[in-house]
Amino acid sequence: MSPADLYADAEFYDLLHDGYRDDLGFYRGLAEDHGGPVLELGAGSGRVTVALARTGVDVVAVEPSAAMRARGTARLTAGDLAASVAWVDADMRTLALGRTFPLVVAPFHALMHLTTLDDQDAALRAARAHVAAGGAFATDVYVPRFAADGVVRVEPDWAGLEGDLSTWQHVDPVAQTVVTEHRLDRVGADGLVRRRAVRLHQRYYQRFELERALRAAGFGRVRTFGGFDRGPVTRDARTWAFLAFP
Ligand SMILES: C[S@@+](CC[C@H](N)C(=O)[O-])C[C@H]1O[C@@H](n2cnc3c(N)ncnc32)[C@H](O)[C@@H]1O
């Protein structure tokens, strides 16, 4: 059985990433500085959406996966925030809402799902078109540093999974792509092990490649940070966070 696309199994996505908090302060701070409404590209199951809405801004959340939108809606309803968020079933490459926002964000590597230069350019141009004068676009990507290719590694520290998680990655340095597979093995009451597997395809970026792409899309000024604390880029940075201004 081939693994499901990660975003078709939104429950698995949340098992893996719900506890990730590193980026929330960064995006929340931007919403506080710029005000709303905020346009979020690749809003997924609403992890960042909730944090944004809690600052008091309205959010337009663009997400093409029905499974992710459904979990996002449930999460916002549970947090009594549903009225602050409008979900849009759309693709960031072709987005044309006909309005602008003081803040547009594409959190948690969302741009890494754009696997061709045309797709990247189209999405960044669309992001630029939705930023109001005086506004900003913020995004982040992980620094491409990978473990041994094709080797399955056990992830003992992933909390709350009630099972054994292992991860396998294959990097193609020519195509500049990475395929990641997560497998969760759980022992059922009958003593049998059941495996749930998801796969994710990404194209990774180099720092200046994305800065150049942002400029080419019409952003006049780009700032790059070595993490969500807005510190400088250092050689041991794990994430690059970008702020781009018209
Ligand atoms: C890594 S997840 C981030 C989800 C959420 N922002 C978070 O922080 O947990 C990336 C999301 O981007 C969405 N996505 C992928 N391609 C997209 C596209 N072309 N347009 C809009 N969203 C896309 C995926 O469905 C997925 O939900």
Side-chain angles (χ1 to χ4, degrees), residues 2 5 39 41 43 73 75 91 115 119 123 127 132 157 182 221 226:
S2 60
D5 176 78
L39 174 63
L41 306 175
T73 302
R75 187 198 298 262
D91 188 310
T115 53
D119 286 352
D157 300 329
H182 297 291
R221 189 164 66 93

Side-chain angles (χ1 to χ4, degrees), residues 14-182:
D14 278 346
L15 281 172
L16 292 173
H17 299 304
D18 210 24
Y20 182 68
R21 297 275 177 270
D22 297 10
D23 54 353
L24 297 184
F26 176 74
Y27 288 107
R28 231 177 5 230
L30 288 168
E32 283 159 2
D33 291 349
H34 287 271
V38 177
L39 174 63
E40 184 184 1
L41 306 175
S45 54
R47 191 182 60 83
V48 175
T49 322
V50 164
L52 294 169
R54 282 202 183 120
T55 69
V57 299
D58 287 340
V59 183
V60 174
V62 173
E63 173 53 50
S65 156
M68 296 293 270
R69 286 197 310 275
R71 283 190 76 89
T73 302
R75 187 198 298 262
L76 286 152
T77 303
D80 206 15
L81 292 163
S84 307
V85 178
W87 288 92
V88 180
D89 173 10
D91 188 310
M92 67 174 109
R93 293 169 294 185
T94 51
L95 192 69
L97 297 177
R99 57 186 283 209
T100 59
F101 298 78
L103 180 64
V104 179
V105 299
F108 205 27
H109 328 142
L111 298 182
M112 295 180 74
H113 297 299
L114 306 164
T115 53
T116 68
L117 292 182
D118 284 345
D119 286 352
Q120 292 169 356
D121 288 344
L124 293 177
R125 273 196 301 267
R128 169 66 189 87
H130 290 85
V131 178
F137 171 60
T139 191
D140 63 88
V141 297
Y142 65 75
V143 176
R145 212 176 283 131
F146 300 101
D149 198 69
V151 176
V152 177
R153 58 177 196 274
V154 177
E155 311 266 18
D157 300 329
W158 222 296
L161 291 177
E162 293 163 17
D164 294 325
L165 182 72
S166 53
T167 298
W168 165 101
Q169 278 191 312
H170 174 60
V171 178
D172 180 340
V174 176
Q176 208 173 303
T177 54
V178 53
V179 177
T180 303
E181 195 172 302
H182 297 291

